[in-house]
Every structure is written in structure tokens, then in C-alpha cells.
Amino acid sequence: MKNIRLTGCFLGLAALMVSCSEMNEGFSPAQEQISINGTLEGFSALPSTRTQVGSMAGDGALLMEWSVGDQVGVFGDNTVNASFTGNHTAPAAQTTFSGNMTSGDVPKYAYYPYSEQAVNLQAIPVTIPTEQAYADVNSIAAYDVKATDVITDKGNGSYQLNMRQMVSLVRFEISLTGVDGLATDEKLQRVELKTGAPVTGSYTYDLTNLDNGFTGSSEAQSTSLNLTFVNQPSLSEKVIAYAVAAPGAQGGKTWECMFLTDKHQVSFTTTALCDFEAGKYYIMPLNTTVLENNQAVIEEAPDLVEEETANCYMINAVGEHSFLATVIGNGQKGIIPGAGFHTESAYISPKSAKLLWQDVEGFVDAPSVRLGADGRCYYTANQNVGNAVIAVYSGENQTGDILWSWHIWGVGDEMPSDEVYTNKVGSQFTVMDRTLGAHSKTSLYVTLYQWGRKDPFPNTSVYYVDGVATEVETSFPIYVSQTGTIAESVQHPAELQKYIDNTYGNWLGETNNYLWGDTNGTNPKYPDYLEDPTACAGWTDVKTIYDPSPVGYRVANKYTWTGFVKRSDGNTAGISGTTSRLDYINYVKYDNGYYFRKNDSDTEGTFYPQTGSRYGSTGTMWSAGQGSVLMRGGSSRYWSASPYDIGGTTDAYSAYMSIGSYTDVNGSTPWGAENKVNVCDFSSSRRDACAIRCVREE
């Protein structure tokens, strides 16, 4: 992506920002060192007119900068799609790119953004999404496309190129104060355009003939262009926003225009008086005059059923599925302002997608995973049981940064159902009937989670990466972080994260208790916490963008499980403690896990399998207290969403339910931990990966 800088409104018809870039290659017998000095072309405006779609009231330009991690592709006579990567550590107008070319070859063509699939210089692939999101001018960067067929030899191994813009922009200028029927306190949510010719979709272009622009089949293109406003600006202010469009013939064609606020829907039609040219932007004004001249219709906003989003999507059927890949987690409502999250916006602009891993071979067909022009990620499930993780990237062909990832959970033939628990003080919780990621209602195979992270990890002995089986019985990949940030965890969804300098066992360098939305720091009152009147349902905040639960669910409250034990001798920790009393546990039976009673009259129980856990420092499946590797059927830990304060130290701990190993003997046992159910434990480090049981959102 690129960072975009709006430098002023009156900079000239074709104002450019020069980016003098050098590309230096490492030397080898098959390579030689060259440098390329380049310029970046910005977006210019057309002379002003009074059209609805077309011109700028004055001259202006958007100027461009290179972003960190930017890559360009280079072709020569004997070099095919060489990747050159910028070495800059901050957005820059000038930078140095490094890459390799065949010895004796010279650069002839270059393009941005780099794509591994661009093996034919006469068919460089481009995708312009129909669904776009706008937060600020930097949002344009996600869809920027540049290329050059002019590279000048300056001598002494130095070359000069001039990158030209290949896309167009629609500039929305929205000023709606004083419009009858609209109030200034309304929030602008979305603009939808139905144009007269394709403006989004999948295209290719020819580096040897850039003047021909984009080409492609109409089946892969759309006349729709929709822009969602991330920050939902008020109508009391003038709003400037941009959307990216494919160049093409629009002059004389009818456009259907609609914009939505939180209270009204406004619709009208207009005529475009000019075609879209690459490197130009075109004004789409929305104001009183425009609405009056085009007989705009103002209606009450429809009761739209917005697509609910989450970090986990359940499926129970084979075939093609999709999810919205431009919204992270549960959307903007999942961001707590000022909570130190890695972003303040729930909207992203990915360019490609990939299957990272799955715990059942062939569950998801890896080649089927793709990012559509509509902003959705498509994939085909060959089976309906298993777990998989799909990630989206900032660059084409799985290049650049991982922007987000999602858990695909194949639940079998039927979707999970809900059960109602009654805890010790009579509060009720509506809880999913199985553990998150379970292969079935009673399966020991589930997914595990570091506290506060959205990313699942398998408790299986084998998982599959790129179709290859990888043994993970005793370890799972670890990302050793030097800084311990949330952003790092987002970029490494297929690895447990270990912050190397944290002695308390957190995967984060700076503690954040807001990650799963329960910021209630009130801890249980020992020894009477089972009857503590505060031990009730409810959270102080919201389900967050990092919550790993499916739509409609969230990570459990710390008091969800107090009904699973009976009042004993006042033991403050393990209820049955070191006495290992089965009669202190409120259960129906044991079978590789407890069937706990949901209420006093329950005769069937709800199954909590002995899932095992993964030690966050090594990825090892383990059981605390025995010092040995222990997989499924031995012990388990179930995270709550609640942080835990122990002696003023919140770096490492959070409340959870722990279940020790089982023996059919009451009383003392060799280990002293058998038959021990602690419904509000706190000793596990946040970097450890434990199981999750989801509850219905309130």
C-alpha cells in the first residue's frame, strides 16, 4: 500500500510529487548492481464545470509517498517479474529499493503493487473492489495502481523511471447543512453508485502498451461502487472522501446515486458528462443544489439487517462459503475508544487471501481460497468437520502484511445449540453446548487460545499447512516477540506469541485488560465467593474485535461456572482442593471430561472435555503440576473474559475454570490434584493456550 498526502487544493492541473528511488541489487555471478531513480505521479483534477460527475472547482492534486514494505515488479529482456522492496522504515517520497535482475539485463518495465502472479508483462492483474471503506486519504492507498514503460539509461548503471497512475478517483464533496428533511446531527454512513459502465472488478493491463489501460471480461467487472464511511462523519461538517475507480467511458451515461445516514436514505439520478481517465479525479458533489436539481427523494432509512461479523464462522455444509473480509472482528462496535487497541478502525482493504492451516486434511480446499472484488473471501469446504484459519494480506498474491485472519469452524451436520446454566447465586447464562472448535458436541478435539487473542490453535497431534502434515503433538510454532504488541499478534495468527522480556508470562509487552471486553476488576471474595452476590452475569463493556467467538457469542464471564461445584469446607482455591473429593463436584458422570449439572435438577449434564492446554513458552501440550506432556483426556483450562488482579499484578493472570485429572477414588491421591475443579482459578499465564466456552451476548 501507499500512504497518501493531500498537499493542497490548487497545485496545478498535473502536479506531481517526485520520488527519487534507487534500486540496489546484491551482487552474484548471475546478477549485477544497478540503480533506478523514479518519480511518482499523483492524481490531478480537470478544469471546473457544473457537472454532477466530473470536475474540480479549481485545480488540485493528490501527491503520493512510498509506504513501508512497498514492492514494485520489474521486467527486462531476460528478467521476469523481479521483486524490488523498499528499505525505508517510514513513509517517504524518496527511498531505496533492493532486488535482483539477470546479469547483463536492463530494466524496461515496472509496476506497482508487486504480484507473484504477474508472470506475463502483457497481462498484469488488477482488482478494484466494489466495496471500499474510507477513513482518511490514506484509504485510497489500498487500491493504488502505477506502472511505467519509460525507463531511461542514465549511464554508470543508473536508470530513471516515471511511474504513471493507472486508476481514477471519485471525489465526494458532501455539504448537506440546510437540506430540508435532513438534520445536522445525522451521521453519514454510506454512498452507493450505480454507474453506466464498469468501474470495479478484475482487470489486466499491458506493460508494453499502457495507453490501452485496463481490459477484462465483463463477467468479472461491476458497474457498482460503494463507499462506507468508517468514522461516520456528522452532516454538520463538510466531508471530502475518495473512492478508486477503473478508467473508462462514462460520459453521457446515467448514474444512480444513493447515500445513507443513520436516519435517512437519499436517492437521485444524474448524468456523467465526461469519461474517466487514469490519473484524474472527478467531483461528485452532494449538496442542496444538487439534490434540488436532480429531484432527490428523501426517505426514512430502511431497517437494514446488517451482516453480523465475527472472528469465527461456523459451517455445517460442504460447498462454497464466503465471509466479509473488509471488516475485522465484530466491526466498529467492537473497538473500545482509548483502550489501546492496535487500530481505531474496524475496516481494512485486503488484496489477497490464503489458507494458513487446518486440523483436518482437506477440510478446506486451499486453492479455492480467494478474495472477491466485492470484498468477500470465498472458499470451498470439502468436509463439514474441522478447523481452519484464513488470512488476508495487504498485497497481491499473499504478499505484504497479514491484515487479519478468521477461524472457519466445521461443526458437523447440525449447528450448535444453547443451554442455560444457573450459577450459585441464581444468575443464568445461555451457553453454547460445546467447546469452541470442537469436532462434535462431545469431541476432545477443540481449538485453544492465548488470553485476549482472536487466533485459534489446535490441540490435535497433527495439522496441515500447504497440504503437508506437521506434527504438533508436543509443540506448536512460537513467534518470539521483541516488542510484544497487539499488532504483532495480528500479523502472526498461525503462531503462539511469546514476549521475550515478560517475566509474568504475558504475550504482551504492555498489559491490556480490555482485549476480551470484560474490564470488571472485582475479584471473587474468598472464602465465600460461591455465594458472593456480585457473582452474577454481565460485563462492564463489550464484545471486542479480538473476541474469538462466532456471531452472537462472546467469551464467558468468570462466574459462569460457579454452579459446577458444591459448597465444601471453605477451601478458597480448588473447591475439592487437595482432598480430591468427587462429592464436592456437581456432575452427572465423567467420560474424558465432566458432564456438569446445568442446574440442581439436571440429570444429563453439559460436557466439558479434558482438552489439554499448550504452554505458551514452548507450544507444548501440558498439564500443570505433573511436569509431563499431557494431551486430551488429562486436564483442561477454560478461559473467561475477565482479567484478574493478584496482589496488584495484572500482567500475567486472568480468571478461568481449571479441571484436573480424574480418579474414581474420593480423598487423597498420589498427586493431590485429581478430581479438582476450580471454577475461578487464576494461576495460568496469559500466554498459555486454553479452551473457550462461548456464551450468548446480552
Side-chain angles (χ1 to χ4, degrees), residues 510-562:
E510 183 175 343
T511 299
N512 191 315
N513 292 326
Y514 292 83
L515 296 181
W516 282 347
D518 184 2
T519 61
N520 185 357
T522 302
N523 292 325
K525 299 177 181 180
Y526 294 127
D528 301 318
Y529 74 90
L530 291 180
E531 282 79 27
D532 184 350
T534 66
C536 57
W539 292 263
T540 58
D541 284 292
V542 299
K543 176 183 177 180
T544 71
I545 56 171
Y546 307 116
D547 193 301
S549 309
V551 170
Y553 294 89
R554 62 179 298 180
V555 180
N557 178 283
K558 63 186 172 187
Y559 294 120
T560 303
W561 308 291
T562 61

Side-chain angles (χ1 to χ4, degrees), residues 174-193:
I174 305 169
S175 183
L176 296 169
T177 56
V179 175
D180 289 340
L182 299 178
T184 56
D185 64 348
E186 297 185 36
K187 304 294 184 181
L188 185 62
Q189 296 181 332
R190 182 174 169 88
V191 175
E192 297 183 358
L193 302 178

Side-chain angles (χ1 to χ4, degrees), residues 463-487:
Y463 78 148
Y464 301 87
V465 180
D466 296 330
V468 177
T470 303
E471 294 285 341
V472 287
E473 179 75 26
T474 58
S475 66
F476 192 81
I478 300 287
Y479 174 69
V480 180
S481 169
Q482 301 296 319
T483 57
T485 64
I486 301 173

Side-chain angles (χ1 to χ4, degrees), residues 272-312:
L273 299 184
C274 55
D275 298 332
F276 279 12
E277 299 179 38
K280 300 283 194 300
Y281 64 90
Y282 302 83
I283 293 290
M284 180 73 199
L286 296 175
N287 53 46
T288 302
T289 302
V290 170
L291 299 186
E292 291 178 351
N293 291 345
N294 291 281
Q295 294 82 48
V297 177
I298 301 177
E299 303 171 293
E300 294 293 321
D303 294 326
L304 298 177
V305 180
E306 295 186 9
E307 181 175 354
E308 288 289 322
T309 60
N311 290 315
C312 173

